[in-house]
Every structure is written in C-alpha cells, then in structure tokens.
Coordinates of all heavy atoms in Angstrom, one line a residue:
M1 N -4.0 21.4 14.8 CA -2.8 22.0 14.3 C -2.4 21.5 12.9 O -1.6 20.6 12.8 CB -1.6 21.8 15.3 CG -1.8 22.3 16.7 SD -0.6 23.5 17.1 CE -1.4 25.0 17.0
G2 N -3.0 22.1 12.0 CA -2.8 21.6 10.6 C -1.4 22.1 10.0 O -1.0 21.6 9.0
I3 N -0.8 22.9 10.7 CA 0.5 23.4 10.2 C 1.6 22.4 10.4 O 2.4 22.1 9.5 CB 0.9 24.7 11.0 CG1 -0.1 25.8 10.7 CG2 2.3 25.1 10.5 CD1 0.1 27.0 11.5
F4 N 1.6 21.7 11.5 CA 2.7 20.7 11.8 C 2.4 19.3 11.4 O 3.3 18.5 11.0 CB 3.1 20.8 13.3 CG 3.5 22.1 13.7 CD1 2.7 22.9 14.5 CD2 4.7 22.6 13.2 CE1 3.1 24.1 14.9 CE2 5.1 23.9 13.7 CZ 4.4 24.6 14.5
N5 N 1.1 18.9 11.4 CA 0.8 17.5 11.0 C 0.2 17.5 9.6 O -1.0 17.6 9.4 CB -0.3 17.0 12.0 CG 0.3 16.9 13.4 OD1 1.5 16.7 13.6 ND2 -0.5 17.0 14.4
Q6 N 1.0 17.4 8.6 CA 0.6 17.3 7.3 C 0.1 15.9 6.9 O 0.8 14.9 7.2 CB 1.7 17.7 6.3 CG 2.2 19.1 6.5 CD 1.3 20.0 5.7 OE1 0.7 19.6 4.7 NE2 1.2 21.3 6.1
R7 N -1.1 15.8 6.4 CA -1.6 14.4 6.0 C -1.0 14.0 4.7 O -0.7 14.9 3.8 CB -3.1 14.4 5.9 CG -3.8 14.6 7.2 CD -5.3 14.4 7.1 NE -5.8 14.6 5.7 CZ -7.1 14.5 5.4 NH1 -8.0 14.3 6.3 NH2 -7.5 14.6 4.2
E8 N -0.7 12.8 4.5 CA -0.2 12.3 3.2 C -1.3 12.2 2.2 O -2.5 11.8 2.6 CB 0.5 10.9 3.4 CG 1.8 10.9 4.1 CD 2.4 9.6 4.1 OE1 2.2 8.8 3.2 OE2 3.2 9.3 5.0
P9 N -1.1 12.5 1.0 CA -2.2 12.4 0.0 C -2.5 10.9 -0.3 O -1.7 10.0 -0.1 CB -1.6 13.0 -1.3 CG -0.1 13.0 -1.1 CD 0.1 13.0 0.4
R10 N -3.7 10.7 -0.7 CA -4.1 9.3 -1.1 C -3.3 8.8 -2.2 O -3.0 9.5 -3.1 CB -5.6 9.3 -1.4 CG -6.5 9.4 -0.2 CD -7.9 9.1 -0.6 NE -8.4 10.4 -1.2 CZ -9.5 10.6 -1.9 NH1 -10.3 9.5 -2.1 NH2 -9.9 11.7 -2.3
R11 N -3.0 7.5 -2.1 CA -2.2 6.9 -3.2 C -3.2 6.6 -4.4 O -4.4 6.4 -4.3 CB -1.7 5.5 -2.8 CG -0.8 5.6 -1.5 CD 0.6 5.3 -1.8 NE 1.4 5.3 -0.6 CZ 2.3 6.2 -0.4 NH1 2.6 7.1 -1.2 NH2 3.0 6.1 0.7
F12 N -2.6 6.7 -5.6 CA -3.4 6.5 -6.8 C -3.5 5.0 -7.1 O -2.4 4.3 -7.2 CB -2.7 7.2 -8.0 CG -3.5 7.0 -9.3 CD1 -4.6 7.7 -9.5 CD2 -3.0 6.1 -10.2 CE1 -5.3 7.5 -10.7 CE2 -3.7 5.9 -11.4 CZ -4.8 6.7 -11.6
H13 N -4.7 4.5 -7.2 CA -4.9 3.1 -7.5 C -6.0 3.0 -8.5 O -7.2 3.2 -8.1 CB -5.2 2.3 -6.2 CG -5.5 0.8 -6.5 ND1 -4.5 -0.1 -6.8 CD2 -6.6 0.1 -6.4 CE1 -5.0 -1.3 -7.0 NE2 -6.3 -1.2 -6.7
H14 N -5.7 2.6 -9.7 CA -6.7 2.5 -10.7 C -6.9 1.1 -11.1 O -6.0 0.4 -11.6 CB -6.3 3.4 -11.9 CG -7.2 3.3 -13.1 ND1 -8.4 3.9 -13.0 CD2 -7.1 2.7 -14.3 CE1 -9.1 3.7 -14.2 NE2 -8.3 3.0 -15.0
E15 N -8.2 0.6 -11.0 CA -8.5 -0.7 -11.5 C -9.3 -0.6 -12.8 O -10.3 0.2 -12.8 CB -9.3 -1.5 -10.4 CG -8.5 -1.8 -9.2 CD -9.4 -2.6 -8.2 OE1 -10.4 -3.1 -8.6 OE2 -8.9 -2.7 -7.1
Y16 N -8.9 -1.4 -13.8 CA -9.7 -1.3 -15.0 C -11.0 -2.0 -14.9 O -11.1 -3.1 -14.3 CB -8.8 -2.0 -16.1 CG -7.6 -1.3 -16.4 CD1 -6.3 -1.7 -16.0 CD2 -7.6 -0.1 -17.1 CE1 -5.2 -1.0 -16.3 CE2 -6.4 0.6 -17.4 CZ -5.2 0.1 -17.0 OH -4.1 0.8 -17.3
I17 N -12.0 -1.4 -15.5 CA -13.4 -2.0 -15.4 C -13.6 -2.9 -16.5 O -14.2 -4.0 -16.3 CB -14.4 -0.8 -15.5 CG1 -14.2 0.2 -14.3 CG2 -15.8 -1.3 -15.4 CD1 -15.0 1.4 -14.4
Y18 N -13.3 -2.6 -17.7 CA -13.6 -3.4 -18.9 C -12.5 -4.4 -19.4 O -12.4 -4.6 -20.5 CB -14.1 -2.5 -20.0 CG -15.2 -1.6 -19.6 CD1 -15.0 -0.3 -19.4 CD2 -16.5 -2.2 -19.4 CE1 -16.1 0.5 -19.1 CE2 -17.5 -1.4 -19.1 CZ -17.4 0.0 -18.9 OH -18.4 0.8 -18.5
V19 N -11.7 -4.9 -18.4 CA -10.7 -5.8 -18.8 C -10.9 -7.1 -18.2 O -11.2 -7.2 -17.0 CB -9.3 -5.2 -18.3 CG1 -8.2 -6.2 -18.6 CG2 -9.0 -3.9 -19.0
D20 N -10.8 -8.2 -19.0 CA -11.0 -9.5 -18.5 C -9.6 -10.2 -18.5 O -9.1 -10.6 -19.5 CB -12.0 -10.3 -19.4 CG -12.3 -11.7 -18.8 OD1 -11.9 -11.9 -17.6 OD2 -13.1 -12.4 -19.4
E21 N -9.0 -10.3 -17.3 CA -7.7 -10.8 -17.2 C -7.6 -12.3 -17.6 O -6.6 -12.8 -18.2 CB -7.2 -10.7 -15.7 CG -7.0 -9.3 -15.3 CD -6.5 -9.2 -13.9 OE1 -6.3 -10.2 -13.2 OE2 -6.5 -8.0 -13.4
R22 N -8.7 -13.0 -17.4 CA -8.7 -14.5 -17.7 C -8.6 -14.6 -19.3 O -7.8 -15.4 -19.8 CB -9.9 -15.1 -17.2 CG -10.0 -16.6 -17.5 CD -11.3 -17.2 -16.9 NE -11.4 -18.6 -17.2 CZ -12.1 -19.0 -18.2 NH1 -12.8 -18.2 -19.0 NH2 -12.2 -20.3 -18.5
K23 N -9.3 -13.8 -20.0 CA -9.2 -13.9 -21.5 C -7.9 -13.5 -22.0 O -7.3 -14.1 -22.9 CB -10.3 -12.9 -22.1 CG -11.7 -13.5 -22.1 CD -12.6 -12.6 -22.8 CE -14.0 -13.1 -22.8 NZ -14.9 -12.2 -23.5
E24 N -7.3 -12.5 -21.4 CA -5.9 -12.1 -21.8 C -4.9 -13.1 -21.5 O -4.0 -13.4 -22.4 CB -5.5 -10.8 -21.1 CG -6.3 -9.6 -21.5 CD -5.8 -8.3 -20.8 OE1 -5.0 -8.4 -19.9 OE2 -6.4 -7.2 -21.2
K25 N -5.0 -13.9 -20.4 CA -4.1 -14.9 -20.1 C -4.2 -16.1 -21.1 O -3.3 -16.7 -21.6 CB -4.3 -15.4 -18.6 CG -3.7 -14.5 -17.6 CD -3.9 -15.0 -16.2 CE -3.5 -14.1 -15.2 NZ -3.7 -14.6 -13.8
L26 N -5.5 -16.4 -21.4 CA -5.8 -17.5 -22.3 C -5.3 -17.1 -23.7 O -4.7 -18.0 -24.4 CB -7.3 -17.8 -22.4 CG -7.8 -18.5 -21.2 CD1 -9.4 -18.6 -21.3 CD2 -7.2 -19.9 -21.0
K27 N -5.4 -15.9 -24.1 CA -4.9 -15.4 -25.4 C -3.4 -15.5 -25.5 O -2.8 -15.9 -26.5 CB -5.4 -14.0 -25.6 CG -5.1 -13.5 -27.0 CD -5.6 -12.1 -27.2 CE -5.2 -11.5 -28.6 NZ -5.7 -10.2 -28.7
A28 N -2.7 -15.1 -24.4 CA -1.3 -15.2 -24.3 C -0.8 -16.6 -24.4 O 0.2 -17.0 -25.1 CB -0.8 -14.5 -23.1
I29 N -1.5 -17.6 -23.7 CA -1.1 -19.0 -23.8 C -1.3 -19.5 -25.2 O -0.4 -20.3 -25.7 CB -2.0 -19.8 -22.8 CG1 -1.6 -19.4 -21.3 CG2 -1.8 -21.3 -23.0 CD1 -2.5 -19.9 -20.3
E30 N -2.4 -19.2 -25.8 CA -2.7 -19.6 -27.2 C -1.6 -19.1 -28.2 O -1.1 -19.8 -29.0 CB -4.0 -19.2 -27.7 CG -5.2 -19.9 -27.0 CD -6.5 -19.4 -27.5 OE1 -6.6 -18.5 -28.3 OE2 -7.6 -19.9 -27.0
E31 N -1.3 -17.8 -28.0 CA -0.3 -17.2 -28.9 C 1.1 -17.9 -28.7 O 1.8 -18.1 -29.7 CB -0.2 -15.7 -28.6 CG 0.8 -15.0 -29.5 CD 0.8 -13.5 -29.2 OE1 -0.3 -13.0 -28.7 OE2 1.8 -12.9 -29.4
R32 N 1.5 -18.1 -27.4 CA 2.8 -18.8 -27.1 C 2.8 -20.2 -27.7 O 3.8 -20.6 -28.3 CB 3.0 -18.8 -25.6 CG 4.4 -19.3 -25.3 CD 4.6 -19.2 -23.8 NE 3.3 -19.0 -23.1 CZ 3.1 -19.3 -21.8 NH1 4.1 -19.8 -21.1 NH2 2.0 -19.2 -21.2
A33 N 1.7 -20.9 -27.6 CA 1.6 -22.3 -28.2 C 1.8 -22.2 -29.7 O 2.5 -23.1 -30.3 CB 0.3 -23.0 -27.8
K34 N 1.1 -21.3 -30.4 CA 1.2 -21.2 -31.8 C 2.6 -20.8 -32.2 O 3.1 -21.3 -33.3 CB 0.2 -20.1 -32.3 CG -1.2 -20.6 -32.3 CD -2.2 -19.5 -32.8 CE -3.6 -20.0 -32.8 NZ -4.5 -19.0 -33.3
R35 N 3.3 -20.0 -31.5 CA 4.7 -19.6 -31.8 C 5.6 -20.8 -31.7 O 6.5 -21.0 -32.4 CB 5.2 -18.5 -30.9 CG 4.5 -17.2 -31.3 CD 5.2 -16.0 -30.5 NE 4.4 -14.8 -30.6 CZ 4.3 -14.0 -31.7 NH1 4.9 -14.3 -32.8 NH2 3.5 -13.0 -31.6
E36 N 5.3 -21.6 -30.6 CA 6.2 -22.8 -30.4 C 5.9 -23.8 -31.6 O 6.9 -24.6 -31.9 CB 5.9 -23.5 -29.1 CG 6.4 -22.7 -27.9 CD 6.0 -23.3 -26.6 OE1 5.3 -24.4 -26.6 OE2 6.4 -22.7 -25.5
L37 N 4.7 -23.9 -32.1 CA 4.4 -24.8 -33.2 C 4.9 -24.3 -34.5 O 4.9 -25.0 -35.5 CB 2.9 -25.1 -33.2 CG 2.4 -25.9 -32.1 CD1 0.9 -26.0 -32.1 CD2 3.0 -27.3 -32.0
G38 N 5.3 -23.0 -34.6 CA 5.7 -22.4 -35.8 C 4.7 -21.8 -36.7 O 4.9 -21.5 -37.9
M39 N 3.5 -21.7 -36.2 CA 2.4 -21.1 -36.9 C 2.5 -19.6 -37.0 O 1.9 -18.9 -37.9 CB 1.0 -21.5 -36.3 CG 0.8 -23.0 -36.3 SD -0.6 -23.5 -35.3 CE -1.9 -22.9 -36.4
L40 N 3.2 -18.9 -36.0 CA 3.3 -17.5 -36.0 C 4.8 -17.2 -36.0 O 5.7 -17.9 -35.5 CB 2.7 -16.9 -34.8 CG 1.2 -17.0 -34.6 CD1 0.7 -16.4 -33.3 CD2 0.5 -16.1 -35.7
P41 N 5.2 -16.0 -36.5 CA 6.6 -15.6 -36.5 C 7.1 -15.3 -35.1 O 6.3 -15.1 -34.2 CB 6.7 -14.3 -37.3 CG 5.3 -13.8 -37.3 CD 4.4 -15.0 -37.2
P42 N 8.4 -15.3 -34.8 CA 8.9 -15.0 -33.4 C 8.5 -13.6 -33.0 O 8.4 -12.7 -33.8 CB 10.4 -15.1 -33.6 CG 10.7 -15.9 -34.8 CD 9.5 -15.7 -35.7
K43 N 8.3 -13.5 -31.7 CA 7.8 -12.3 -31.1 C 8.9 -11.3 -30.9 O 10.0 -11.7 -30.6 CB 7.1 -12.6 -29.8 CG 6.4 -11.4 -29.1 CD 5.7 -11.9 -27.9 CE 5.0 -10.7 -27.2 NZ 4.4 -11.0 -25.9
E44 N 8.6 -10.0 -31.1 CA 9.6 -9.0 -30.8 C 9.8 -8.8 -29.3 O 8.9 -9.1 -28.6 CB 9.2 -7.7 -31.5 CG 9.1 -7.7 -33.0 CD 8.7 -6.4 -33.6 OE1 8.7 -5.4 -32.9 OE2 8.4 -6.4 -34.8
F45 N 10.9 -8.2 -28.9 CA 11.2 -8.0 -27.5 C 10.2 -7.0 -26.9 O 9.9 -5.9 -27.5 CB 12.6 -7.5 -27.3 CG 12.9 -7.1 -25.9 CD1 13.1 -8.1 -25.0 CD2 13.0 -5.8 -25.5 CE1 13.4 -7.7 -23.6 CE2 13.3 -5.4 -24.2 CZ 13.5 -6.4 -23.3
S46 N 9.8 -7.3 -25.7 CA 8.9 -6.4 -25.0 C 9.3 -6.4 -23.5 O 9.5 -7.4 -23.0 CB 7.4 -6.9 -25.1 OG 6.6 -6.1 -24.3
P47 N 9.3 -5.2 -22.9 CA 9.8 -5.1 -21.5 C 8.8 -5.9 -20.6 O 9.3 -6.4 -19.5 CB 9.7 -3.7 -21.1 CG 9.8 -3.0 -22.4 CD 9.2 -3.9 -23.4
E48 N 7.6 -6.1 -20.9 CA 6.6 -6.8 -20.1 C 7.0 -8.3 -20.0 O 6.6 -9.0 -19.1 CB 5.2 -6.7 -20.6 CG 4.6 -5.3 -20.3 CD 5.0 -4.3 -21.3 OE1 5.3 -4.7 -22.5 OE2 4.9 -3.1 -21.0
D49 N 7.8 -8.8 -21.0 CA 8.1 -10.2 -21.0 C 9.1 -10.6 -19.9 O 9.1 -11.7 -19.4 CB 8.7 -10.6 -22.3 CG 7.8 -10.5 -23.5 OD1 6.5 -10.5 -23.2 OD2 8.2 -10.4 -24.6
I50 N 9.9 -9.6 -19.4 CA 10.9 -9.9 -18.4 C 10.5 -9.5 -17.0 O 11.2 -9.6 -16.0 CB 12.2 -9.2 -18.8 CG1 12.1 -7.7 -18.8 CG2 12.8 -9.8 -20.0 CD1 13.4 -7.0 -19.0
R51 N 9.3 -9.0 -16.8 CA 8.8 -8.5 -15.6 C 8.7 -9.7 -14.6 O 8.0 -10.7 -14.9 CB 7.4 -7.8 -15.7 CG 7.0 -7.2 -14.4 CD 5.8 -6.4 -14.6 NE 6.2 -5.2 -15.3 CZ 5.4 -4.4 -16.0 NH1 4.1 -4.8 -16.2 NH2 5.8 -3.4 -16.7
G52 N 9.3 -9.6 -13.4 CA 9.3 -10.6 -12.4 C 10.3 -11.7 -12.6 O 10.4 -12.6 -11.7
K53 N 11.1 -11.7 -13.6 CA 12.1 -12.8 -13.9 C 13.2 -12.7 -12.9 O 13.8 -13.7 -12.6 CB 12.6 -12.8 -15.3 CG 11.5 -13.0 -16.3 CD 10.9 -14.3 -16.2 CE 9.8 -14.5 -17.2 NZ 9.1 -15.7 -17.1
F54 N 13.6 -11.5 -12.5 CA 14.7 -11.3 -11.6 C 14.5 -11.9 -10.2 O 15.3 -12.6 -9.7 CB 15.1 -9.8 -11.4 CG 16.3 -9.5 -10.6 CD1 17.5 -9.8 -11.1 CD2 16.1 -9.0 -9.3 CE1 18.6 -9.6 -10.3 CE2 17.2 -8.8 -8.5 CZ 18.5 -9.1 -9.0
V55 N 13.2 -11.8 -9.8 CA 12.9 -12.3 -8.5 C 12.9 -13.9 -8.5 O 13.3 -14.5 -7.6 CB 11.5 -11.8 -8.0 CG1 11.0 -12.5 -6.7 CG2 11.6 -10.3 -7.8
E56 N 12.4 -14.4 -9.7 CA 12.4 -15.9 -9.8 C 13.8 -16.5 -9.9 O 14.0 -17.6 -9.5 CB 11.6 -16.2 -11.1 CG 10.1 -15.8 -11.0 CD 9.4 -16.0 -12.4 OE1 10.1 -16.5 -13.3 OE2 8.2 -15.7 -12.4
S57 N 14.7 -15.7 -10.4 CA 16.1 -16.3 -10.7 C 17.0 -16.2 -9.5 O 17.9 -17.0 -9.4 CB 16.7 -15.7 -11.9 OG 16.9 -14.3 -11.6
T58 N 16.8 -15.3 -8.5 CA 17.6 -15.2 -7.4 C 17.1 -15.9 -6.2 O 15.9 -15.8 -5.9 CB 17.8 -13.7 -7.0 OG1 16.6 -13.1 -6.7 CG2 18.5 -12.9 -8.1
T59 N 17.9 -16.7 -5.6 CA 17.4 -17.5 -4.4 C 17.1 -16.7 -3.2 O 16.2 -17.0 -2.5 CB 18.5 -18.6 -4.0 OG1 19.7 -17.9 -3.7 CG2 18.7 -19.6 -5.1
H60 N 17.9 -15.6 -3.0 CA 17.6 -14.7 -1.9 C 16.2 -14.1 -1.9 O 15.5 -14.1 -1.0 CB 18.7 -13.6 -1.8 CG 18.4 -12.6 -0.8 ND1 18.4 -12.8 0.6 CD2 18.0 -11.3 -0.9 CE1 18.1 -11.7 1.2 NE2 17.8 -10.8 0.3
L61 N 15.9 -13.5 -3.1 CA 14.6 -12.9 -3.2 C 13.4 -13.9 -3.2 O 12.3 -13.7 -2.7 CB 14.5 -12.0 -4.5 CG 15.4 -10.8 -4.4 CD1 15.4 -10.1 -5.8 CD2 15.0 -9.9 -3.3
K62 N 13.7 -15.1 -3.8 CA 12.7 -16.2 -3.8 C 12.4 -16.6 -2.4 O 11.2 -16.8 -2.0 CB 13.2 -17.3 -4.6 CG 12.1 -18.3 -5.0 CD 12.6 -19.5 -5.8 CE 13.2 -19.1 -7.1 NZ 13.6 -20.2 -7.9
R63 N 13.4 -16.8 -1.5 CA 13.2 -17.1 -0.1 C 12.5 -16.1 0.6 O 11.6 -16.3 1.4 CB 14.5 -17.4 0.6 CG 15.0 -18.8 0.4 CD 16.2 -19.1 1.2 NE 17.4 -18.6 0.4 CZ 18.4 -18.0 1.0 NH1 18.5 -17.8 2.3 NH2 19.4 -17.6 0.2
R64 N 12.8 -14.8 0.3 CA 12.1 -13.7 1.0 C 10.7 -13.6 0.7 O 9.8 -13.4 1.5 CB 12.8 -12.4 0.6 CG 12.3 -11.2 1.3 CD 13.0 -9.9 1.0 NE 12.5 -8.8 1.6 CZ 12.8 -7.6 1.4 NH1 13.7 -7.3 0.5 NH2 12.2 -6.6 2.0
K65 N 10.4 -13.9 -0.6 CA 9.0 -13.9 -1.1 C 8.2 -15.0 -0.4 O 7.0 -14.9 0.0 CB 8.9 -14.0 -2.6 CG 7.6 -13.7 -3.1 CD 7.6 -13.7 -4.7 CE 6.2 -13.4 -5.2 NZ 6.2 -13.4 -6.7
E66 N 8.8 -16.2 -0.3 CA 8.2 -17.3 0.3 C 8.0 -17.1 1.8 O 7.0 -17.6 2.4 CB 8.9 -18.6 0.1 CG 8.9 -19.1 -1.4 CD 9.9 -20.2 -1.6 OE1 10.6 -20.6 -0.7 OE2 9.9 -20.7 -2.8
S67 N 9.0 -16.5 2.5 CA 8.9 -16.3 3.9 C 7.8 -15.3 4.3 O 7.4 -15.3 5.4 CB 10.3 -15.8 4.5 OG 10.6 -14.5 4.0
E68 N 7.4 -14.4 3.4 CA 6.4 -13.4 3.7 C 5.1 -14.2 4.0 O 4.3 -13.8 4.9 CB 6.2 -12.5 2.6 CG 7.3 -11.5 2.4 CD 7.1 -10.6 1.2 OE1 6.2 -10.8 0.5 OE2 8.0 -9.7 1.0
T69 N 4.8 -15.3 3.4 CA 3.6 -16.0 3.6 C 3.7 -16.8 4.9 O 2.7 -17.0 5.6 CB 3.3 -17.0 2.4 OG1 4.4 -17.9 2.3 CG2 3.1 -16.2 1.2
T70 N 4.9 -17.2 5.3 CA 5.0 -18.0 6.5 C 4.9 -17.2 7.8 O 4.5 -17.6 8.8 CB 6.4 -18.8 6.5 OG1 7.4 -17.8 6.4 CG2 6.4 -19.8 5.4
V71 N 5.2 -15.9 7.6 CA 5.1 -15.0 8.8 C 3.6 -14.8 9.2 O 3.3 -14.9 10.3 CB 5.7 -13.6 8.4 CG1 5.4 -12.6 9.5 CG2 7.2 -13.7 8.3
S72 N 2.8 -14.7 8.2 CA 1.3 -14.6 8.5 C 0.8 -15.9 9.2 O 0.0 -15.9 10.1 CB 0.5 -14.3 7.3 OG 0.6 -15.3 6.3
S73 N 1.4 -17.1 8.7 CA 0.9 -18.3 9.3 C 1.4 -18.4 10.8 O 0.8 -19.0 11.6 CB 1.3 -19.5 8.5 OG 2.8 -19.6 8.4
R74 N 2.6 -17.9 11.0 CA 3.1 -17.9 12.4 C 2.3 -17.1 13.3 O 2.0 -17.5 14.4 CB 4.6 -17.4 12.4 CG 5.5 -18.3 11.8 CD 6.9 -17.7 11.9 NE 7.9 -18.6 11.1 CZ 9.1 -18.2 10.7 NH1 9.5 -16.9 11.0 NH2 9.9 -19.0 10.1
W75 N 1.8 -15.9 12.8 CA 0.9 -15.1 13.7 C -0.4 -15.8 13.9 O -1.0 -15.7 15.0 CB 0.7 -13.8 13.0 CG 1.8 -12.8 13.2 CD1 2.8 -12.4 12.4 CD2 2.0 -12.1 14.5 NE1 3.6 -11.5 13.0 CE2 3.2 -11.3 14.3 CE3 1.4 -12.1 15.7 CZ2 3.7 -10.5 15.3 CZ3 1.9 -11.3 16.7 CH2 3.0 -10.5 16.5
L76 N -0.9 -16.5 12.9 CA -2.1 -17.2 13.0 C -2.0 -18.3 14.1 O -2.9 -18.5 14.9 CB -2.6 -17.8 11.7 CG -3.9 -18.6 11.7 CD1 -5.0 -17.7 12.0 CD2 -4.0 -19.3 10.3
I77 N -0.9 -19.0 14.1 CA -0.7 -20.1 15.1 C -0.6 -19.5 16.5 O -1.2 -20.0 17.4 CB 0.5 -20.9 14.7 CG1 0.3 -21.7 13.5 CG2 1.0 -21.8 15.9 CD1 1.5 -22.4 12.9
L78 N 0.1 -18.3 16.6 CA 0.3 -17.7 17.9 C -1.1 -17.2 18.4 O -1.4 -17.4 19.6 CB 1.2 -16.5 17.7 CG 1.5 -15.7 19.0 CD1 2.3 -16.6 20.0 CD2 2.3 -14.5 18.7
V79 N -1.9 -16.6 17.5 CA -3.2 -16.2 18.0 C -4.1 -17.4 18.4 O -4.8 -17.3 19.4 CB -3.9 -15.4 16.8 CG1 -5.4 -15.1 17.1 CG2 -3.2 -14.1 16.6
L80 N -4.0 -18.5 17.7 CA -4.8 -19.6 18.0 C -4.4 -20.2 19.4 O -5.3 -20.6 20.2 CB -4.7 -20.7 16.9 CG -5.5 -20.4 15.6 CD1 -5.2 -21.5 14.6 CD2 -7.0 -20.4 15.9
V81 N -3.1 -20.3 19.6 CA -2.6 -20.7 20.9 C -3.1 -19.8 22.0 O -3.5 -20.3 23.1 CB -1.1 -20.9 20.9 CG1 -0.5 -21.1 22.3 CG2 -0.7 -22.0 20.0
A82 N -3.0 -18.5 21.8 CA -3.5 -17.6 22.8 C -4.9 -17.7 23.1 O -5.4 -17.7 24.3 CB -3.1 -16.1 22.4
L83 N -5.7 -17.9 22.1 CA -7.2 -18.1 22.3 C -7.5 -19.4 23.0 O -8.4 -19.4 23.9 CB -7.9 -18.0 20.9 CG -8.0 -16.7 20.2 CD1 -8.6 -16.8 18.9 CD2 -8.9 -15.8 21.1
C84 N -6.7 -20.4 22.7 CA -6.9 -21.7 23.4 C -6.6 -21.5 24.9 O -7.3 -22.1 25.8 CB -6.1 -22.8 22.8 SG -6.6 -23.3 21.2
L85 N -5.5 -20.8 25.2 CA -5.2 -20.6 26.6 C -6.2 -19.8 27.3 O -6.6 -20.1 28.5 CB -3.8 -19.9 26.7 CG -2.6 -20.7 26.4 CD1 -1.3 -19.9 26.4 CD2 -2.4 -21.9 27.4
I86 N -6.7 -18.7 26.7 CA -7.8 -17.9 27.3 C -9.0 -18.8 27.5 O -9.7 -18.7 28.6 CB -8.1 -16.7 26.4 CG1 -6.9 -15.7 26.5 CG2 -9.3 -16.0 26.9 CD1 -7.0 -14.6 25.5
F87 N -9.4 -19.5 26.5 CA -10.6 -20.4 26.7 C -10.4 -21.4 27.8 O -11.3 -21.7 28.6 CB -10.8 -21.2 25.4 CG -12.0 -22.1 25.4 CD1 -13.3 -21.6 25.4 CD2 -11.8 -23.5 25.5 CE1 -14.3 -22.5 25.5 CE2 -12.8 -24.4 25.5 CZ -14.1 -23.9 25.5
Y88 N -9.2 -22.0 27.9 CA -8.9 -23.0 29.0 C -9.0 -22.3 30.3 O -9.6 -22.9 31.3 CB -7.5 -23.5 28.8 CG -7.0 -24.5 29.8 CD1 -7.5 -25.8 29.8 CD2 -6.2 -24.1 30.9 CE1 -7.1 -26.7 30.8 CE2 -5.8 -25.0 31.8 CZ -6.3 -26.3 31.8 OH -5.9 -27.2 32.8
V89 N -8.4 -21.1 30.5 CA -8.5 -20.4 31.8 C -9.9 -20.0 32.2 O -10.3 -20.2 33.3 CB -7.6 -19.2 31.7 CG1 -7.8 -18.3 33.0 CG2 -6.1 -19.6 31.7
L90 N -10.7 -19.6 31.2 CA -12.1 -19.2 31.5 C -13.0 -20.4 31.8 O -13.9 -20.3 32.6 CB -12.6 -18.3 30.4 CG -12.0 -16.9 30.2 CD1 -12.5 -16.2 29.0 CD2 -12.2 -16.1 31.5
W91 N -12.8 -21.5 31.1 CA -13.6 -22.6 31.2 C -13.4 -23.4 32.5 O -14.4 -23.9 33.1 CB -13.4 -23.5 30.0 CG -14.4 -24.7 29.9 CD1 -14.2 -25.9 30.3 CD2 -15.7 -24.6 29.4 NE1 -15.3 -26.6 30.1 CE2 -16.3 -25.8 29.5 CE3 -16.4 -23.6 28.8 CZ2 -17.6 -26.1 29.0 CZ3 -17.7 -23.8 28.4 CH2 -18.2 -25.1 28.5
F92 N -12.2 -23.6 32.9 CA -11.8 -24.4 34.0 C -11.7 -23.6 35.4 O -11.2 -24.2 36.3 CB -10.6 -25.3 33.8 CG -10.9 -26.3 32.7 CD1 -10.3 -26.2 31.5 CD2 -11.7 -27.4 33.0 CE1 -10.5 -27.1 30.5 CE2 -11.9 -28.4 32.0 CZ -11.3 -28.2 30.7
K93 N -12.0 -22.4 35.4 CA -11.9 -21.7 36.7 C -13.3 -21.3 37.2 O -14.2 -21.2 36.6 CB -11.0 -20.4 36.5 CG -9.6 -20.8 36.7 CD -8.8 -19.5 37.0 CE -7.4 -19.9 37.3 NZ -6.6 -18.9 37.7

C-alpha cells in the first residue's frame, strides 16, 4: 500500500574527498599564533569563529552533552552484567 505508507527521502550527506582536515587545523593554529605574536593584522569577524561557543558557555548544555556519552556506558555495563548472568546460569547448571 504505497498510498498510505510514504517513505522518507534519504538525507543529504556530502563528505569532501580532497580536503585534509588535519592540514586545515594546523594552518589555523599557525595563523592564530602569528596573530597573537603580532606578525599578522587582526582577523575580521567570521560566523564560523563562534560556532559551538554557546554550548561551551552554558552549563546546562555542557552537562547534557557530557551525559550523552555516559548513557552509552551505562548500557554497556548493563549488557555486560546480563551476559555474565547468562554465562553463570549456563555454566553452573
């Protein structure tokens, strides 16, 4: 019944092929160091400079971001305990 069950379209995800993120990070670090030493003029404002700063500055969002990683560790511990119980029951009966 294709009329009632509409499938969602695939999400667009484009990964760049010819981009080396490591080189870009190193270049940004070098540029920032040169600006701090006064070898380059001050940088103009760019929206990319403030990306992610809001999450870093608020404690609520920072805790939420940190708790996402602990949820997966809780599930891992729960699965390990369940496997140990199953192994114990099968081995000693």
Side-chain angles (χ1 to χ4, degrees):
M1 299 243 104
I3 298 172
F4 300 110
N5 296 333
Q6 294 278 333
R7 292 188 341 181
E8 289 187 26
R10 283 186 280 168
R11 305 246 185 245
F12 181 76
H13 178 70
H14 177 71
E15 293 185 12
Y16 294 105
I17 300 173
Y18 301 109
V19 175
D20 190 6
E21 293 177 6
R22 183 175 175 266
K23 282 185 180 180
E24 289 181 358
K25 286 181 183 178
L26 288 174
K27 185 178 177 182
I29 291 171
E30 288 176 2
E31 184 178 331
R32 190 175 14 159
K34 287 180 181 180
R35 288 190 194 284
E36 288 176 1
L37 292 174
M39 299 171 72
L40 293 175
K43 187 177 179 183
E44 295 180 14
F45 175 74
S46 174
E48 285 84 23
D49 295 339
I50 61 171
R51 185 171 289 153
K53 299 296 182 185
F54 183 72
V55 174
E56 293 173 1
S57 63
T58 57
T59 57
H60 170 71
L61 293 175
K62 195 182 293 186
R63 274 187 277 141
R64 183 175 179 192
K65 190 173 182 181
E66 290 173 358
S67 69
E68 289 176 357
T69 58
T70 59
V71 170
S72 62
S73 63
R74 289 179 187 165
W75 277 105
L76 180 64
I77 292 171
L78 183 65
V79 168
L80 287 175
V81 169
L83 287 174
C84 289
L85 287 174
I86 292 171
F87 179 73
Y88 178 78
V89 168
L90 292 176
W91 188 263
F92 291 109
K93 278 198 174 188

